[in-house]
Amino acid sequence: MGDVSKTSLPAAAHASPLREALLAADFTADGLLDLLGAPAYTALARSETVPALRATRGDSPLDTLVRLFLLQRPVPAERAAAVLPLEECLADGWLTSYEGEVRATVDVRPYGGPDGQDWFIVSDLGCAVGGAGGIGSREEGVVLGIGGASTTLAGITVRRPVASALDVGTGSGIQALHASQHATRVTATDLNPRALDFTRLTLALSGAAPADLREGSLYDPVASETFDLIVSNPPFVISPGARLTYRDGGMEGDELCRTLVRRTGDRLNDGGYAHFLANWQHTGDEEWQDRVRSWVPDGCDAWIVQREVQDITQYAELWLRDGGDHRTDPAEYAARYDAWLDAFEASGTKAVGFGWITLRKSAAAGAGAPSIVIEEWPHAVEQPLGPAVEAHFARQDYLREQDDAALLAGHFTLAAEVVQEQVGMPGAEDPEHVVLRQNRGMRRATRVDAVGAGFAGVCDGSLPAGRILDAIAQVMNEDPVLLRDRTPQAIRLLVEEGFLEPLPPGGRATG
């Protein structure tokens, strides 16, 4: 690919007619799936192109566009002219021509928006997907396109109308594109000026409003400005050195993620949300929960979820492959691998965690009563998770304000699509235990006793919790006073984890 930092990028002058041509040929996420079929479509996400090449051997307009912009193959100029405004594409630099054929200069990937929008993510050639598949590029300034991390962050972000949104480390502009749908003003920053150019192209080709693009590291480009929403998929990889701008933060260990999170408190407006993907070190000196808890800034509530843990050998191998080091001379690869392990040994790192960090600026947190929930949840969740994230913080607000007496006076309903499972030996008269399981949101499961199962089963909002417990006590021949004393903590847990939704007086569930 050459030195990408010195490669000129297309102009956005004729992005609108190019977009119209792409849509006319059904160069969309749905159109690709119909043309390629599920196996070839999903193979592309693994950076495997052979199935898609086989599926596009025809001469339809869509075949032509897939070969040009996704598979980076040359096509005859006359075929391209039948589909695209060829003269404008050549003049603006989207295509180059040579001996009767044209080639794409950038990767253009269809991407379906959350409300059915047809968007296009523009990135460097061959760099649409990173992570475990490996982009195979060792270029310092390369700009990636859409990948699993990008869609995860977009899915966990709370989506509500806001005046201002900030995308820190915008890359090819995926998060800025999402934010443009519900934010009056979008600011996007990146240390790599090339990334800002790609964000401009992504927004223009997707038909979105332009963003305020600023060059610089982390929050430096926005000085003292504050925002209602902040999102960042930062270069969080913990590596020796900073060879690759898109992934290596250039700070020691997990310091970049810590710095980003710690500085967020001063950049959020009251009630505002910040969402990050991050890595953190597991060392022998402290629990990982204590490490990330220390990152939470004053005045903010936090929900931190560890999704995956890799030992240092797995982690080093993953990112060495991502940078294409496994394709180098074996001795060079071994030397780089050794350098990663040396760095981890020097810092006392035993493993690396990956997960989500969500902050919310809160008056209660600012008054010294923050809600900080840190947990490990490697299981499947339902995306988009943004509504569940917002509901989590609403439940934390509710629980923070309720003492046990208020909790027992409250009304609750069972959350949607919660089912009960009874576990025990076949044929046994009574189950060994009962499990409540969610089929929405985080898809949690929790064990409950007979009282908890009975309580959840009759929560329809009509009776206060205390009266339900009195009825259960009568059926189970228990002392109602003792049952009222010991049950509030179990109710709190069911509310906190989203199995029960509290009803405000005369109102509807908070979640």
Side-chain angles (χ1 to χ4, degrees), residues 327-466:
R327 300 190 182 103
T328 64
D329 176 74
E332 182 181 348
Y333 173 77
R336 287 199 183 277
Y337 196 156
D338 208 34
W340 280 63
L341 297 186
D342 282 344
F344 284 135
E345 182 178 335
S347 64
T349 302
K350 308 300 183 185
V352 178
F354 167 82
W356 317 325
I357 298 176
T358 296
L359 305 177
R360 184 191 59 166
K361 194 71 170 287
S362 161
S371 165
I372 301 177
V373 176
I374 303 174
E375 61 179 319
E376 189 161 11
W377 190 254
H379 311 293
V381 300
E382 179 193 41
Q383 286 279 31
L385 199 64
V389 172
E390 191 168 17
H392 165 88
F393 286 96
R395 293 193 301 269
Q396 295 300 314
D397 287 343
Y398 171 84
L399 292 171
R400 192 158 37 191
E401 297 167 358
Q402 309 299 311
D403 60 17
D404 286 355
L407 200 70
L408 293 176
H411 293 242
F412 302 90
T413 60
L414 190 65
E417 297 191 38
V418 171
V419 297
Q420 175 179 303
E421 300 174 357
Q422 298 188 162
V423 181
M425 294 296 294
E429 184 174 344
D430 297 313
E432 294 178 13
H433 60 265
V434 175
V435 173
L436 298 181
R437 186 179 301 277
Q438 302 167 347
N439 288 314
R440 305 295 304 274
M442 291 292 284
R443 293 177 173 161
R444 298 184 188 277
T446 189
R447 288 177 60 167
V448 293
D449 59 14
V451 172
F455 182 87
V458 299
C459 277
D460 60 5
S462 60
L463 293 174

Side-chain angles (χ1 to χ4, degrees), residues 308-320 337 341 351:
E308 183 180 1
V309 180
Q310 291 185 321
D311 66 49
I312 56 175
T313 59
Q314 293 174 308
Y315 190 81
E317 290 162 15
L318 168 66
W319 293 108
L320 286 168
Y337 196 156
L341 297 186

Side-chain angles (χ1 to χ4, degrees), residues 285-296 374:
D285 298 332
E286 62 180 340
E287 296 295 328
W288 72 267
Q289 294 92 336
D290 295 333
R291 187 180 191 88
V292 295
R293 182 179 286 108
S294 71
W295 297 1
V296 178
I374 303 174

Side-chain angles (χ1 to χ4, degrees), residues 79-258:
R79 280 185 58 182
V83 184
L84 297 168
L86 183 59
E87 191 172 321
E88 290 87 347
C89 287
L90 289 169
D92 287 354
W94 293 92
L95 302 175
T96 60
S97 64
Y98 181 73
E99 295 185 349
E101 293 184 324
V102 295
R103 284 181 176 270
T105 61
V106 291
D107 185 296
V108 177
R109 186 159 299 249
Y111 176 56
D115 297 315
Q117 302 98 325
D118 289 314
W119 289 339
F120 300 97
I121 310 302
V122 188
S123 64
D124 272 312
L125 292 173
C127 296
V129 179
I135 66 166
S137 172
R138 307 179 75 199
E139 298 287 352
E140 179 181 351
V142 71
V143 176
L144 301 187
I146 196 73
S150 304
T151 56
T152 293
L153 180 58
I156 67 174
T157 299
V158 171
R159 303 293 175 190
R160 57 180 183 172
V162 295
S164 57
L166 172 65
D167 178 12
V168 180
T170 186
S172 55
I174 300 154
Q175 309 308 323
L177 179 58
H178 276 277
S180 71
Q181 304 304 293
H182 62 101
T184 303
R185 174 173 58 88
V186 177
T187 302
T189 71
D190 205 290
L191 184 64
N192 182 2
R194 184 180 175 81
L196 300 177
D197 290 335
F198 271 116
T199 294
R200 184 179 293 108
L201 295 174
T202 288
L203 293 173
L205 197 57
S206 297
D212 180 3
L213 304 176
R214 306 187 194 180
E215 182 181 345
S217 176
L218 302 182
Y219 292 119
D220 292 349
V222 298
S224 60
E225 295 174 56
T226 58
F227 301 86
D228 302 314
L229 173 68
I230 297 173
V231 293
S232 182
N233 177 16
F236 53 67
V237 176
I238 300 171
S239 63
R243 288 193 302 131
L244 302 177
T245 304
Y246 75 89
R247 72 169 200 195
D248 303 322
M251 298 184 187
E252 185 175 348
D254 52 21
E255 181 63 18
L256 182 134
C257 291
R258 188 197 73 84

Side-chain angles (χ1 to χ4, degrees), residues 42-58:
T42 54
L44 273 179
R46 302 189 300 270
S47 300
E48 295 291 349
T49 59
V50 172
L53 284 167
R54 294 173 60 86
T56 56
R57 289 179 289 195

